[in-house]
Amino acid sequence: MSLPQPEQLIANMAKALTPFAQQDDVVMIGIHTGGAWVAKQLHEQLNLSSELGLLDISFYRDDFSQNGLHPKVKGSQLPDIENKTIILVDDVIMSGRTIRAAMNELFDYGRPEKIILACLLDVGHRELPIQADVVGDKIERPVNQRIKLSGPTPLTLTTVNLEK
Amino acid sequence: MDPSQIQLNKEGRLKHFLTTEGLSKEILSEIIDTANSFISTQERSVKTVPLLRGKTVVNLFFENSTRTRSTFELAAKRLSANILNLDIASSATSKGETLMDTLWNLESMYSDMFVVRHADSGAAHFIAQHVTPNVAVINAGDGRHAHPTQAMLDMLTIHREKSGFENLSVAIVGDILHSRVARSQIYALKTLGCHDVRVIGPNTLIPKDIESLGVRAFNNMKSGLKGVDVVIMLRLQKERMQTALLPSESEYYRLYGLNTEKLAYANHDAIVMHPGPINRGVEIESAVADGPQSVILKQVSNGIPMRMAVMAMAMGGQNQEQALLEQDQEGAK
Amino acid sequence: MQLQPQHKLCISGGHVFDPSQNLDSVLDIYIENERIVALGCAPEGFVANTTLDASGQKIFPGFIDLHSFLAEPGFNQKGSIASETQAAARSGFTTICCTPNTKPVIDSSAVAALIQEKAKQAGHCSVFTLGALTANLEGEQLSNMSGLKDAGCVALSNLELPFKNSHVIKQCYHYAAGFNIIAMVTPIDKALAHGGCMHEGPASTQMGLAGVPISAETSALAQHLILCEETGVRLHISRISSARALQMIVQAQEDGLPVTADVALGNLVFTDESCRGYNSLMHVSPVYRSETDRQALLEGVNKGQLSICSNHLPQDLAAKMAPFSASEVGINSLDNFTQVLLSLVEKNELTLEAAIQAVTSLPANVLSKPLGSIALEQRADLCIVNMQQDVMTDSQSLSSKGRNNPWLDKPFKGAVTHTINGGHIVFQR
């Protein structure tokens, strides 16, 4: 089954996010690495005036006990998020754990007024009660198939089969 | 056993941090990058991250040191760990309990990490070799051998000020003979690609065969500092005057004390570093220590992110190793 | 070791190898009571009570060790005369010189007698006591040198312990010379050694450990050699560690000084690089020096300039379970001495002739004792070695009580199958 084109998905998202983008206390934050690539494009297309934030969730992941610390930590660079409406951007949402870690981290930086989640692709198989507000597309995939976004240019979605 | 291999787990990830010697450029760079990432967490209002939540870190300081101990304590707390301070300098071992017995007694406390400072070179290695598996050991200074966290925070500072090690010229000035910091700095600099590492001091303070570490030795500040981009001043302990190593403080200061005049021998954009605590007027003039080229205070503030980084990495490496071991055991069933 | 009347032993078919007697062929050996009575052909009317078939094996004179710490009296958690002499017998030693640093120190005839008695009871190995050169080994007062000699001490030693000043050294030598007593020392200038625990060089610098410079050995050696020259004392330099020291001793011998020297087995095998990783089993006295020094010492043995001693010092577990400089010194070398020695021959670092000479005729000459050779009327001290046999020692099979053997679980070739002391089989594999 063929995967959708990221460009088209981003266009869909930009359209859905337009009403939020017009508010004046909006900050967009992309989650490293895929979410950051998507956020950069969205930030441009929506012509946001605030600085784009980048979030590295390495220090908030819940799999530290199994896998240790990720070798390529980039660090987070965030503008002030106090009382702001955050558009949190990620590439693929699956279990929901990345978003949980991202929200935990955001709240250690300050207290946002509101968080809206925008994801390029929703592939189901949630393990936590977390849903995206804006989605590029929703597709069904077996649980041992991961969808990966590669980039930054061109942005491409590929399927990766996990070994049992 | 190769002293550095004990530091890595089967996947090549850090699981103890004992010495910079023998660690690859990749690992050292990873340490610097990770520490860099922790810096932003220290600038926001909530300075903690949950990485070591539920873990117990024990500060085992057999040598007194309020400064280093408190930075490790703070780093552990900012990683959300529980911390226990054991000032062994004043307790059991001074009553004759061996290091081995002290360790065995501590084992029953189920700690996850020991931060160790000890007067004997090789003590941190000894502890890492004899501690229960899955306990991470961080060397906070062993005898004259190594002080790897200090060296790495110095590397982080250099990285942030000078962006890159390849074309740098670095001079370490002072009591190299007794300095564990100097040895750790030398290994780190060489591994990170610095080709010109120099030590400057009188013969009595430069250890025999120091060239075997790939450094050049100078007795003279003028020639030693020529073309240098980073000047690292080491603390001179007053006791050195008593043991036939140096004639007097004034002679030392005249020859090796870093004042504005001597700093001018180095490159005009050279940075001045010092692992602290500073002896003003003995190895460094106040005008230089507080001057525009000094990054001494930045070193201090880099101390906590660096210690957070190595503690997080080592704990992660131990966790990973344990998880792999459990997987193997499951597979074997 | 009971003396039986008319004990007659024949060792047949063994390849006798004794460089001091130019023996290197298959010869039968005939022993009566304690002595060798014939080589090659049986004496007339000789009927052996026991015959040992040594075909395919080599027979060497029983080995002589000039320096071994037996831990008794005083250190029973580290070893005992029984256990350590048993370890010695396993390696083909028939004579061990026991160092005076027991508790109490061997500075009285009573202690010397006690040790000799215990060794006799254990029956594994002959033990010669090395008496203390200074009272209580404190380096200040002369010991009862003549009394100790009469009590059976073959030489007097101050080990590597310091003397109060050079005047004391001279007086010790002067006094000893008057009674024809051999003085044994390991010269070290304590101030120059400056608390070092290993060789001063690149390894000690990198490991951050205090090092003992070669000058600590050579400057003290120079002083002892000059005082030897002045007093005429028979001086034996025990356990040298550097090429320079060997050079100085050979020069002194050429100048006619009555000086001899030995090297510890460990210094022929290990170097300062062996200390890497803070391996406390390599924390020894004197220290292991550079590869250049090791090569020079091997050459010294090959040229017949040096005896080899075991420098055996058993340690309990706790003594070595500590960071390097905090651990106690000592190597546990008696159990596999011969395997290690033969491995040096196998690697062509020593000739078999030089290796055997260094543990038989040369130490016998140092002590001026009629030992260390296979000849008529000589004491029947022998060891029989299967040169081809693979052997490995593990912690269970050690005879020594010491827990500081660096050669455990390592494969070697060459096993002592029998040790014969005064005609009696004291060890059989």
Side-chain angles (χ1 to χ4, degrees):
Chain A
M1 207 189 300
S2 67
L3 293 166
Q5 288 300 315
E7 279 68 41
Q8 184 56 52
L9 300 176
I10 290 175
N12 295 349
M13 292 166 77
K15 193 163 168 199
L17 284 171
T18 312
F20 297 103
Q22 282 152 3
Q23 296 172 22
D24 35 52
D25 56 351
V26 148
V27 171
M28 180 171 281
I29 298 178
I31 301 176
H32 274 303
T33 333
W37 295 330
V38 174
K40 275 202 178 81
Q41 294 208 10
L42 280 173
H43 192 270
E44 221 176 274
Q45 290 187 25
L46 291 168
N47 210 2
L48 294 172
S49 52
S50 60
E51 192 193 316
L52 175 65
L54 300 168
L55 197 67
D56 184 323
I57 58 151
S58 302
F59 300 149
Y60 288 81
R61 295 178 66 97
D62 63 10
D63 62 352
F64 181 66
S65 301
Q66 285 79 45
N67 301 325
L69 197 59
H70 194 274
K72 297 254 180 281
V73 178
K74 290 188 172 52
S76 304
Q77 292 94 45
L78 301 180
D80 180 29
I81 62 168
E82 201 68 21
N83 294 322
K84 298 280 198 289
T85 297
I86 309 260
I87 302 176
L88 185 61
V89 181
D90 202 8
D91 49 1
V92 180
I93 178 170
M94 192 165 168
S95 67
R97 289 174 193 276
T98 301
I99 305 303
R100 182 200 85 108
M103 285 203 287
N104 281 7
E105 181 166 3
L106 280 176
F107 275 88
D108 277 348
Y109 274 92
R111 188 191 175 281
E113 167 101 8
K114 187 172 185 176
I115 300 180
I116 298 162
L117 178 61
C119 294
L120 193 67
L121 210 59
D122 180 341
V123 298
H125 301 295
R126 233 34 118 246
E127 291 169 8
L128 297 172
I130 290 176
Q131 306 304 331
D133 299 290
V134 166
V135 156
D137 198 359
K138 198 167 171 151
I139 58 177
E140 292 284 311
R141 277 288 182 277
V143 73
N144 65 326
Q145 259 189 28
R146 296 291 146 93
I147 314 284
K148 270 192 77 62
L149 180 72
S150 46
T153 39
L155 286 174
T156 330
L157 285 168
T158 41
T159 309
V160 177
N161 287 310
L162 291 183
E163 272 146 63
K164 269 274 175 261
Chain B
M1 166 187 283
D2 175 355
S4 57
Q5 286 316 107
I6 191 180
Q7 303 188 92
L8 303 176
N9 70 13
K10 265 187 286 193
E11 303 282 310
R13 318 280 299 123
L14 200 69
K15 67 170 183 175
H16 293 300
F17 192 47
L18 308 173
T19 176
T20 50
E21 182 188 358
L23 290 175
S24 67
K25 189 173 177 181
E26 285 66 44
I27 296 256
L28 292 185
S29 303
E30 187 187 326
I31 294 173
I32 293 176
D33 289 339
T34 308
N36 230 348
S37 306
F38 274 112
I39 290 179
S40 70
T41 65
Q42 298 306 293
E43 289 160 1
R44 62 189 199 202
S45 65
V46 174
K47 297 178 182 15
T48 50
V49 299
L51 279 171
L52 260 58
R53 204 160 65 94
K55 301 287 186 190
T56 304
V57 175
V58 179
N59 262 345
L60 271 182
F61 275 59
F62 293 86
E63 253 185 2
N64 275 323
S65 161
T66 342
R67 277 170 24 108
T68 311
R69 214 193 63 199
S70 32
T71 50
F72 272 106
E73 182 174 347
L74 214 45
K77 286 183 170 155
R78 294 200 178 153
L79 288 167
S80 306
N82 300 315
I83 180 116
L84 175 65
N85 281 313
L86 285 180
D87 256 326
I88 320 239
S90 49
S91 66
T93 36
S94 51
K95 291 183 198 147
E97 188 181 54
T98 64
L99 182 54
M100 203 61 240
D101 282 325
T102 307
L103 263 188
W104 280 330
N105 286 333
L106 286 173
E107 235 123 76
S108 52
M109 293 192 203
Y110 297 108
S111 7
D112 301 288
M113 179 178 287
F114 288 138
V115 177
V116 185
R117 173 170 280 202
H118 197 284
D120 287 332
S121 298
H125 278 83
F126 178 79
I127 290 176
Q129 277 169 326
H130 292 100
V131 85
T132 19
N134 305 123
V135 174
V137 178
I138 310 286
N139 186 2
D142 63 326
R144 293 184 199 174
H145 171 236
H147 194 358
T149 59
Q150 177 68 48
M152 288 315 293
L153 76 85
D154 293 333
M155 297 304 116
L156 173 63
T157 310
I158 295 174
H159 173 75
R160 286 173 71 87
E161 296 298 319
K162 294 284 180 184
S163 56
F165 292 89
E166 258 95 47
N167 299 315
L168 280 186
S169 183
V170 180
I172 307 172
V173 183
D175 186 358
I176 316 292
L177 179 61
H178 298 98
S179 174
R180 50 190 172 213
V181 178
R183 283 169 175 80
S184 289
Q185 288 167 337
I186 292 170
Y187 286 123
L189 285 165
K190 299 293 298 182
T191 306
L192 288 164
C194 181
H195 299 301
D196 184 13
V197 182
R198 314 173 187 191
V199 295
I200 308 176
N203 279 345
T204 45
L205 292 182
I206 296 181
K208 192 163 195 294
D209 297 318
I210 190 73
E211 298 80 13
S212 68
L213 271 76
V215 308
R216 287 189 290 158
F218 291 80
N219 294 130
N220 181 296
M221 282 290 255
K222 193 162 182 191
S223 44
L225 288 178
K226 185 157 185 238
V228 160
D229 305 292
V230 180
V231 185
I232 304 176
M233 299 305 296
L234 296 177
R235 197 171 106 83
L236 185 74
Q237 286 176 282
K238 314 262 175 163
E239 302 88 76
R240 305 300 171 218
M241 259 61 83
Q242 267 80 59
T243 50
L245 280 167
L246 289 177
S248 65
E249 249 176 56
S250 54
E251 162 117 332
Y252 182 82
Y253 186 66
R254 187 174 64 82
L255 291 168
Y256 303 102
L258 190 66
N259 53 20
T260 325
E261 187 194 327
K262 295 215 196 69
L263 182 55
Y265 300 146
N267 288 347
H268 70 274
D269 59 350
I271 54 173
V272 174
M273 298 174 64
H274 193 307
I278 314 172
N279 273 333
R280 289 168 186 270
V282 177
E283 67 259 4
I284 190 167
E285 186 187 50
S286 283
V288 173
D290 306 325
Q293 287 170 261
S294 161
V295 297
I296 295 174
L297 289 177
K298 291 185 190 172
Q299 283 174 275
V300 176
S301 66
N302 287 338
I304 291 181
M306 176 48 71
R307 273 131 193 172
M308 288 174 77
V310 298
M311 290 167 85
M313 288 173 69
M315 196 74 260
Q318 291 287 350
N319 285 351
Q320 189 186 37
E321 189 171 69
Q322 176 156 44
L324 286 171
L325 200 63
E326 281 165 14
Q327 252 176 50
D328 284 342
Q329 287 171 347
E330 279 298 306
K333 283 189 184 149
Chain C
M1 208 159 51
Q2 307 288 329
L3 255 186
Q4 293 165 322
Q6 297 300 310
H7 163 75
K8 286 180 174 171
L9 169 65
C10 166
I11 306 174
S12 68
H15 186 123
V16 176
F17 187 90
D18 179 357
S20 71
Q21 304 297 306
N22 281 317
L23 288 173
D24 185 5
S25 58
V26 176
L27 279 176
D28 294 342
I29 304 179
Y30 298 89
I31 296 165
E32 192 169 314
N33 291 335
E34 289 192 340
R35 310 253 146 219
I36 296 172
V37 290
L39 289 168
C41 300
E44 268 213 50
F46 185 97
V47 177
N49 330 90
T50 325
T51 311
L52 212 56
D53 179 9
S55 27
Q57 301 188 63
K58 281 219 160 52
I59 306 182
F60 305 114
F63 299 153
I64 300 168
D65 187 6
L66 292 174
H67 183 114
S68 210
F69 175 69
L70 300 184
E72 189 180 351
F75 296 93
N76 59 4
Q77 80 276 23
K78 297 183 194 290
S80 67
I81 291 172
S83 62
E84 308 315 301
T85 53
Q86 188 174 39
R90 275 185 73 184
S91 280
F93 283 97
T94 48
T95 307
I96 290 265
C97 293
C98 138
T99 56
N101 49 341
T102 44
K103 227 191 317 198
V105 159
I106 310 178
D107 66 355
S108 71
S109 32
V111 180
L114 170 70
I115 293 172
Q116 278 148 14
E117 183 56 39
K118 288 231 154 184
K120 208 159 148 189
Q121 276 174 17
H124 301 299
C125 193
S126 307
V127 173
F128 287 156
T129 44
L130 298 176
L133 187 62
T134 58
N136 206 29
L137 287 174
E138 279 166 7
E140 240 181 271
Q141 306 292 336
L142 306 184
S143 65
N144 291 329
M145 297 195 200
S146 174
L148 286 170
K149 182 179 176 184
D150 291 343
C153 292
V154 294
L156 300 182
S157 171
N158 217 56
L159 304 171
E160 63 264 61
L161 300 166
F163 291 86
K164 187 173 180 191
N165 55 50
S166 27
H167 180 70
V168 174
I169 307 175
K170 177 183 159 171
Q171 296 299 82
C172 284
Y173 288 172
H174 207 27
Y175 191 86
F179 297 99
N180 223 7
I181 289 172
I182 303 165
M184 284 193 182
V185 281
T186 301
I188 300 254
D189 182 322
K190 196 167 168 203
L192 284 175
H194 210 55
C197 54
M198 65 177 283
H199 169 63
E200 187 189 58
S204 69
T205 289
Q206 288 170 34
M207 291 166 71
L209 287 172
V212 182
I214 290 177
S215 57
E217 174 178 61
T218 49
S219 61
L221 176 61
Q223 185 176 63
H224 284 264
L225 289 175
I226 288 176
L227 293 173
C228 166
E229 185 175 39
E230 188 173 23
T231 59
V233 71
R234 252 291 277 119
L235 182 63
H236 178 78
I237 306 295
S238 159
R239 304 168 299 158
I240 63 168
S241 65
S242 67
R244 188 79 185 88
L246 176 60
Q247 210 175 43
M248 289 165 70
I249 289 166
V250 170
Q251 182 62 56
Q253 286 169 340
E254 282 168 16
D255 292 341
L257 263 62
V259 62
T260 50
D262 70 55
V263 61
L265 181 68
N267 289 67
L268 297 174
V269 176
F270 302 114
T271 63
D272 56 344
E273 289 294 318
S274 315
C275 301
R276 295 263 184 202
Y278 300 97
N279 185 358
S280 62
L281 293 180
M282 298 297 144
H283 186 199
V284 290
S285 172
V287 298
Y288 297 136
R289 295 203 182 271
S290 69
E291 178 62 17
T292 318
D293 292 305
R294 188 182 81 94
Q295 290 296 336
L297 294 169
L298 284 165
E299 198 186 317
V301 173
N302 279 330
K303 285 187 178 159
Q305 295 164 339
L306 291 170
S307 309
I308 302 175
C309 71
S310 70
N311 199 15
H312 178 78
L313 205 168
Q315 284 294 2
D316 53 296
L317 205 56
K320 287 292 191 182
M321 283 264 267
F324 195 91
S325 55
S327 64
E328 291 184 48
V329 297
I331 181 175
N332 190 308
S333 57
L334 281 176
D335 276 287
N336 18 37
F337 183 95
T338 305
Q339 297 150 21
V340 177
L341 183 67
L342 291 175
S343 74
L344 291 173
V345 174
E346 197 183 297
K347 285 186 244 177
N348 290 320
E349 294 193 318
L350 287 181
T351 63
L352 182 62
E353 188 182 314
I356 298 302
Q357 190 178 240
V359 293
T360 55
S361 52
L362 285 183
N365 287 344
V366 169
L367 299 174
S368 302
K369 292 278 182 195
L371 294 168
S373 40
I374 301 175
L376 295 180
E377 294 313 306
Q378 287 287 327
R379 188 180 162 91
D381 284 346
L382 304 160
C383 71
I384 305 177
V385 180
N386 183 337
M387 305 287 283
Q388 301 312 313
Q389 189 173 341
D390 289 321
V391 61
M392 192 169 356
T393 328
D394 61 34
S395 51
Q396 303 304 321
S397 52
L398 285 179
S399 294
S400 164
K401 274 198 201 169
R403 293 279 150 263
N404 52 329
N405 186 311
W407 294 296
L408 291 180
D409 304 318
K410 291 196 170 35
F412 284 97
K413 223 186 195 142
V416 173
T417 56
H418 300 81
T419 303
I420 290 140
N421 194 317
H424 295 271
I425 302 171
V426 289
F427 168 74
Q428 198 163 344
R429 188 168 283 271

